[in-house]
């Protein structure tokens, strides 16, 4: 909670059961991003519904009643699957990845969502779809989610929340059209920065250019927060969420949740406690009018 009484949830990004245990130990309010790829990579066949349900249930149990936010399979790009035939692409980061690949292989998506729905019947669970750029993609994914619940003859479990990962600039700019169909947005600043600034993640020669505090990226975050205000929650799940220079800006823009590595949870919680929400709003508005990431960082120092 900020000094003037605004609650910001601090969540943990989780990749396996060990991460979940560390998240709980370090005081995470929830698991704001569970990367489900750990079940799909380094194997020759896709995991079954039963295998997925067992793994997801174990993670939910490790969280001890905290909400578990499962990101659906996010592969393609730099994470190919040997059992999914994807054509060679000149630029796979702009190709068949995330929700695009999942909708091209709806059997994989359906099986995953069946497992998630079964766990959601017993635990607080959210599901979010990655790499969404168009409303039609979200509607198609939600239709598969409805089909998944119907496999067991049920409607969607009570309390199951649905969201999208905002990593494509088009999704941020069209957030108003996505709001009616989601309970929350989770802004993936790593990819959002990559796509906004045309800077490939992992390119060491461009590291200094790929700054999520660039005003262009912050303006997209601002747009999402404005579109969602009063209608959907907004989280940030990229690396910038644990950057203490970025935290007051996100809080000032209206972000409700910061999801960080499990070990960073105490640091970010303390950073929030030291803030005044009104001051953060003033700071964020000033940052949006600046020209460079360096100017923004100078403003927050």
């Amino acid at each position: 909670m900020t000094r003037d009484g605004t609650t910001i949830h601090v969540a943990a990004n989780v990749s396996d059961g060990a991460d979940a245990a560390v998240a709980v130990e370090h005081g995470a309010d929830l698991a704001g991003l569970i990367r489900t790829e750990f079940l799909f990579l380094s194997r020759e066949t896709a995991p079954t519904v039963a295998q997925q349900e067992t793994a997801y249930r174990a993670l939910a149990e490790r969280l001890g009643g905290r909400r578990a936010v499962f990101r659906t399979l996010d592969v393609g790009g730099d994470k190919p699957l040997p059992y999914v035939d994807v054509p060679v692409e000149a630029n796979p980061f702009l190709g068949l990845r995330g929700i695009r690949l999942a909708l091209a292989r709806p059997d994989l998506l359906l099986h995953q969502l069946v497992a998630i729905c079964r766990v959601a019947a017993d635990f607080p669970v959210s599901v979010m779809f990655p790499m969404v750029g168009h409303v039609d993609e979200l509607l198609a994914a939600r239709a598969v989610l409805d089909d998944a619940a119907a496999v067991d003859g049920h409607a969607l479990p009570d309390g199951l929340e649905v969201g999208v990962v905002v990593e494509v600039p088009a999704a941020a700019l069209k957030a108003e059209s996505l709001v009616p169909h989601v309970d929350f947005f989770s802004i993936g600043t790593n990819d959002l920065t990559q796509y906004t600034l045309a800077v490939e993640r992992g390119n060491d020669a461009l590291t200094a250019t790929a700054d999520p505090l660039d005003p262009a990226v912050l303006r997209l975050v601002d747009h999402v927060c404005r579109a969602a205000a009063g209608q959907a929650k907004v989280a940030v799940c990229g690396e910038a969420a644990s950057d203490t220079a970025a935290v007051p800006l996100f809080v000032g823009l209206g972000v409700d949740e910061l999801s960080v590595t499990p070990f960073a949870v105490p640091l970010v919680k303390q950073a929030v406690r030291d803030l005044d929400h009104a001051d953060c709003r003033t700071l964020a508005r000033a940052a949006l009018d600046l020209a460079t990431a360096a100017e923004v960082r100078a403003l927050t120092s």
Side-chain angles (χ1 to χ4, degrees), residues 12-21 23 31 33-39 55-56 59 71 260-262:
N13 299 333
V14 170
S15 297
D16 53 30
D19 280 350
L33 164 62
I34 297 178
R35 303 178 181 93
T36 60
E37 294 77 48
F38 73 95
L39 270 175
Y56 302 153
L59 277 168
R71 182 181 67 187
V260 302
T261 62

Side-chain angles (χ1 to χ4, degrees), residues 62-114:
R62 281 284 188 98
L63 291 169
R66 296 165 181 81
R67 180 165 289 273
V69 183
F70 291 98
R71 182 181 67 187
T72 59
L73 182 61
D74 188 13
V75 294
D78 59 339
K79 293 178 288 189
L81 294 177
Y83 47 89
V84 176
D85 185 21
V86 176
V88 175
E89 297 177 298
N91 192 335
F93 288 98
L94 297 178
L96 198 63
R97 60 171 300 203
I99 195 61
R100 301 169 182 175
L101 179 60
L103 292 175
R105 284 292 305 271
D107 54 323
L108 285 177
L109 182 59
L110 177 66
H111 291 168
Q112 181 170 39
L113 293 176
V114 169

Side-chain angles (χ1 to χ4, degrees), residues 58-193:
L59 277 168
E61 289 173 348
R62 281 284 188 98
L63 291 169
R66 296 165 181 81
R67 180 165 289 273
V69 183
F70 291 98
R71 182 181 67 187
T72 59
L73 182 61
D74 188 13
V75 294
D78 59 339
K79 293 178 288 189
L81 294 177
Y83 47 89
V84 176
D85 185 21
V86 176
V88 175
E89 297 177 298
N91 192 335
F93 288 98
L94 297 178
L96 198 63
R97 60 171 300 203
I99 195 61
R100 301 169 182 175
L101 179 60
L103 292 175
R105 284 292 305 271
D107 54 323
L108 285 177
L109 182 59
L110 177 66
H111 291 168
Q112 181 170 39
L113 293 176
V114 169
I116 290 173
C117 284
R118 289 175 179 173
V119 176
D122 301 314
F123 296 93
V125 164
S126 302
V127 60
M128 61 183 181
F129 302 109
M131 196 68 184
V132 170
H134 303 282
V135 178
D136 289 349
E137 292 171 334
L138 173 57
L139 295 179
R142 290 209 61 139
V144 179
L145 179 60
D146 289 336
D147 291 343
V151 165
D152 293 325
H154 304 302
L156 290 179
D158 291 339
L160 176 66
E161 296 183 350
V162 179
V164 296
V165 187
V166 178
E167 5 183 21
V168 180
L173 292 171
K174 293 186 293 188
E176 291 87 350
S177 62
L178 298 172
V179 163
H181 310 291
V182 299
D183 299 297
F184 67 96
F185 295 99
S186 187
I187 301 174
T189 52
N190 300 351
D191 268 333
L192 184 62
T193 301

